[in-house]
C-alpha cells in the first residue's frame, strides 16, 4: 500500500493518515488512489469497527496539489475539450473520496489545520466530522476553476448556507462549521485527538452488523434524495469550470506566476475577468486595487 495514506489499527479502530505533510497533504493521483484501497482494507478486516481519517503534519488536507494541476497544467485539456475524458478522471476521484461514505464501517474525519477545496470533499465524505476550533473548511475554487464534485455541502447545510459558501468561496472555522451543522462538533485543538478517540471508542463497542445496518439505512435516505445524480452534475460542472474561459485564465495565471499568486488573487476578492482575458502582469500583482 502507498505510504501517502498510512494505515494502522488499534482497539477495533483503523487509522487512515493522509501522509504528504510537506505539501499539507495535498491530493495527487497517488494519494487519491491509495485512499479507497485503505478503506477497503479496513472494511474487510473483521476486527475493525470504525475508521478514523486524519492528516499528518500541519493540516488535514489542503486540496488538490496545485503545483501539479494548476501551475503544471495536469488534467487541463487543449482548446478542444473532451467532456467525457474529463468526467472519467474526476468521477474516479469523486468515487475514491466517496469510498468513505460507501464504506460499510462508520468513518470519522479528524480535522485540524485545513480541510479546503478537494480536502473538504474528503472530510465531508466521512460519516462524521470533528474539527479543531481553529481549523478552516471551505471550497475556494467555487470562485473560479472548480465545483465540489461530492456535492456534500448542500446535503449537510441546506440550500441557503450551501449557497453562502459556494457563491463566495469563503472558509469558516470549526466553531462556525459546528454551529451551522456542517460538521458534528468542534473542540479546542489540544483536545481534538482525545475527542475523536472517545467517539470512536463508543462506536467500536457496537457489533459490526448493527453498525452496517444503521449506516446503510441512513445513506439510503440520501440516495433517495438524488445524491448520485447531483454528483454526476457536479462532476460535469467541475470539468466545465476548469475549461471555461475564466478557468483557463486561472490556469494560465498559475503557470505564469505560480499557483500561490493565482490562489492569492482568487481568494482576495479581486476581479476575475468575464471571458478570461490577459493574465495580470507582475506589476498588477503588486497593485492592491
Amino acid at each position: 500500500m502507498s505510504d501517502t495514506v498510512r494505515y494502522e489499527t488499534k482497539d477495533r479502530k483503523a487509522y487512515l493518515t493522509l501522509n504528504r505533510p510537506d505539501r499539507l497533504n495535498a491530493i495527487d493521483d497517488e494519494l487519491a488512489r491509495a485512499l479507497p484501497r485503505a478503506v477497503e482494507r479496513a472494511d474487510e478486516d473483521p476486527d475493525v469497527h470504525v475508521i478514523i481519517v486524519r492528516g499528518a503534519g500541519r493540516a488535514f488536507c489542503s486540496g488538490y496539489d496545485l503545483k501539479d494541476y494548476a501551475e503544471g497544467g495536469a488534467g487541463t485539456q487543449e482548446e478542444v475539450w473532451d467532456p467525457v475524458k474529463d468526467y472519467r478522471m474526476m468521477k474516479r476521484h469523486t468515487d475514491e473520496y466517496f469510498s468513505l461514505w460507501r464504506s460499510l464501517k462508520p468513518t470519522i474525519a479528524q480535522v485540524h489545520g485545513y480541510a479546503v477545496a478537494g480536502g473538504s470533499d474528503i472530510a465531508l465524505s466521512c460519516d462524521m466530522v470533528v474539527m479543531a476550533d481553529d481549523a478552516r473548511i471551505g471550497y475556494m475554487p467555487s470562485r473560479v476553476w472548480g465545483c465540489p464534485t461530492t456535492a456534500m455541502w448542500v446535503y449537510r447545510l441546506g440550500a441557503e448556507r450551501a449557497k453562502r459558501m459556494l457563491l463566495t468561496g469563503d472558509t469558516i472555522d470549526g466553531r462556525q462549521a459546528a454551529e451551522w451543522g456542517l460538521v458534528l462538533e468542534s473542540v479546542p485543538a489540544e483536545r481534538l485527538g482525545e475527542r475523536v478517540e472517545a467517539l470512536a471508542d463508543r462506536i467500536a463497542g457496537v457489533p459490526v452488523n448493527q453498525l452496517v445496518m444503521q449506516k446503510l439505512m441512513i445513506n439510503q435516505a440520501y440516495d433517495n434524495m438524488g445524491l448520485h445524480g447531483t454528483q454526476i452534475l457536479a462532476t460535469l460542472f467541475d470539468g466545465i469550470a476548469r475549461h471555461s474561459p475564466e478557468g483557463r485564465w486561472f490556469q494560465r495565471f498559475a503557470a505564469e506566476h505560480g499557483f500561490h499568486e493565482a490562489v492569492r488573487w482568487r481568494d482576495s476578492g479581486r476581479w476575475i475577468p468575464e471571458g478570461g482575458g490577459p493574465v495580470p502582469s507582475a506589476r498588477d500583482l503588486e497593485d492592491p486595487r
Side-chain angles (χ1 to χ4, degrees), residues 178-239:
E179 180 186 337
W180 280 9
L182 178 66
V183 305
L184 179 65
E185 59 184 297
S186 173
V187 297
E190 64 273 14
R191 290 187 49 229
L192 178 62
E194 169 192 334
R195 181 63 191 119
V196 170
E197 288 295 320
L199 175 61
D201 285 339
R202 180 67 174 165
I203 293 169
V206 177
V208 169
N209 60 0
Q210 284 293 121
L211 295 172
V212 170
M213 287 186 286
Q214 308 308 330
K215 178 169 176 174
L216 285 175
M217 179 272 294
I218 296 165
N219 282 8
Q220 185 60 48
Y222 279 74
D223 288 338
N224 291 344
M225 291 183 218
L227 173 59
H228 180 65
T230 304
Q231 288 184 345
I232 290 173
L233 185 65
T235 303
L236 285 168
F237 279 175
D238 183 70

Side-chain angles (χ1 to χ4, degrees), residues 64 81 86 89-90 121 139 141 145-149 232-244:
Y64 284 93
W81 173 55
D86 195 278
M89 176 186 74
M90 290 309 303
D121 278 317
Y139 196 86
W145 214 63
C147 179
T149 62
I232 290 173
L233 185 65
T235 303
L236 285 168
F237 279 175
D238 183 70
I240 294 170
R242 285 180 287 103
H243 292 88
S244 68

Side-chain angles (χ1 to χ4, degrees), residues 22-43:
D22 56 319
R23 301 290 302 154
L24 296 180
N25 301 315
I27 301 163
D28 62 3
D29 276 348
E30 187 178 356
L31 186 148
R33 290 175 186 271
L35 182 60
R37 292 198 297 268
V39 172
E40 183 179 19
R41 183 175 174 182
D43 246 358

Side-chain angles (χ1 to χ4, degrees), residues 11-12 15 17 58-59 62-63 83 121 126 133 137-138 159 162 172 212 233 248 253 258 261 269 282 284:
D11 300 331
R12 292 180 287 190
Y15 299 86
T17 305
R58 296 184 293 120
S62 60
D121 278 317
C126 290
D133 289 342
I137 190 167
I172 55 176
V212 170
L233 185 65
R248 290 184 182 278
F253 191 145
E261 286 291 351
D284 292 330

Side-chain angles (χ1 to χ4, degrees), residues 18 37 72 91 121 140 159 170 173 193 219 222 226 229 246 254 256 276:
L18 310 180
R37 292 198 297 268
K91 183 62 165 62
D121 278 317
M140 302 89 79
D170 288 345
D173 65 19
N219 282 8
Y222 279 74
E246 297 82 9
E256 184 170 330

Side-chain angles (χ1 to χ4, degrees), residues 18 27 31-32 35 53 60-64 90 93-102 107 109 111 114-129 136-142 145-156 166 182 227 230-231 234-235 238 242:
L18 310 180
I27 301 163
L31 186 148
L35 182 60
V53 186
F60 177 81
C61 179
S62 60
Y64 284 93
M90 290 309 303
H93 287 322
T94 304
D95 290 344
E96 286 163 345
Y97 311 148
F98 228 57
S99 64
L100 293 159
W101 181 268
R102 298 297 180 200
T107 55
V111 174
Y114 299 94
V116 292
S120 68
D121 278 317
I122 294 176
L124 297 179
S125 292
C126 290
D127 299 314
M128 289 161 279
V129 183
R136 307 291 300 185
I137 190 167
Y139 196 86
M140 302 89 79
S142 65
W145 214 63
C147 179
T149 62
T150 62
M152 289 304 289
W153 291 91
V154 66
Y155 287 95
R156 287 178 176 268
L166 298 180
L182 178 66
L227 173 59
T230 304
Q231 288 184 345
T235 303
D238 183 70
R242 285 180 287 103

